[in-house]
Amino acid sequence: MNGDTLQVETKDGMLPNLRPRTGPLLAGLAIAALLLAQVVAVWPFTVDDAYITLRYARQLAAGHGPVYQPGTPPAEGYSTFLWMALLSLPHLLRLDAVLIAKGIGVLATMALLALVAWWGARIVGQEASGAADAPTRAHVGAPGAAAAVAAIALASYPASAVHAVSGMESALFALLLLGFLVLCAEATRDPEGRRAAWLGPAALAVGLTRPEGNLAAVLALTVTVALVAR
């Protein structure tokens, strides 16, 4: 076996078998099914705070601005500007805003699941490639196993499904925050600085999604700049 290409023996020698390996795909589908089963079980649940944000979004879509009641002074009764602005779109399109909020949450959680698996595999793969000898590389473990463990841990955690269908920005914030941290980590290994150009927009998205995201972005950027300087 060479990489992801299987070798088959014929009378003319070893030839590559181009049939794709289905193991990782089936494992990924099984883990996704585990998460979706929990999502279906808790689908009716919606946090009451979500309706507050949706009301602000409805007023914004109606042209009244981000207010709870038309004609009243603006008051920031929502905790997430990006989520509120995003949920104004289904109101503009006359769609079910609650359903859209839940759908975005589920999609964000599935994307988070994929990102967690990818980063887990990448971290273990980098440690294994940097090992000096074969026994050390074997001790580090396989990237695929790391990806599976990380993904299963997230998919089997009941709160993952609850946050996905809550109607709030929790799943989107988790995805943006982890994506930003991954970007910071990758920027420290990018000698050409191409990934660094995305740090600013990514930090802004994190901060607009949750207020505490600004603190997380500042701390992560500080560490990233220090590591790049070294």
Side-chain angles (χ1 to χ4, degrees):
M1 183 173 67
N2 181 17
D4 288 337
T5 303
L6 299 176
Q7 301 290 327
V8 293
E9 185 175 359
T10 67
K11 64 179 182 179
D12 297 323
M14 299 297 293
L15 294 176
N17 181 5
L18 300 181
R19 182 181 60 186
R21 299 174 61 183
T22 58
L25 176 60
L26 293 177
L29 291 176
I31 295 172
L34 172 63
L35 175 62
L36 290 177
Q38 297 190 79
V39 166
V40 171
V42 298
W43 180 261
F45 172 75
T46 307
V47 176
D48 53 356
D49 285 354
Y51 293 100
I52 299 176
T53 304
L54 286 169
R55 184 177 177 89
Y56 276 91
R58 184 177 65 184
Q59 304 300 349
L60 179 63
H64 302 299
V67 296
Y68 188 81
Q69 185 71 24
T72 59
E76 191 174 343
Y78 50 89
S79 59
T80 165
F81 176 81
L82 182 62
W83 188 244
M84 185 274 298
L86 184 62
L87 291 183
S88 67
L89 297 179
H91 288 293
L92 286 171
L93 299 175
R94 300 185 182 277
L95 300 175
D96 187 334
V98 175
L99 180 62
I100 296 298
K102 286 174 172 286
I104 295 175
V106 172
L107 291 177
T109 304
M110 296 299 292
L112 177 65
L113 192 68
L115 182 57
V116 164
W118 177 84
W119 202 20
R122 182 164 176 77
I123 291 174
V124 174
Q126 288 172 344
E127 291 182 359
S129 62
D133 49 52
T136 303
R137 288 194 295 270
H139 178 72
V140 169
V149 170
I152 291 174
L154 179 62
S156 60
Y157 184 49
S160 297
V162 172
H163 287 303
V165 304
S166 67
M168 294 296 289
E169 76 286 349
S170 303
L172 178 63
F173 178 66
L175 174 62
L176 292 176
L177 180 59
L178 181 60
F180 174 67
L181 295 177
V182 170
L183 185 61
C184 287
E186 294 298 311
T188 63
R189 305 185 184 96
D190 183 11
E192 299 180 1
R194 290 175 296 183
R195 293 179 177 86
W198 294 96
L199 289 176
L204 179 62
V206 171
L208 288 175
T209 307
R210 287 292 305 175
E212 61 270 26
N214 293 289
L215 177 60
V218 169
L219 292 176
L221 286 174
T222 302
V223 174
T224 301
V225 170
L227 292 175
V228 170
R230 292 181 182 180

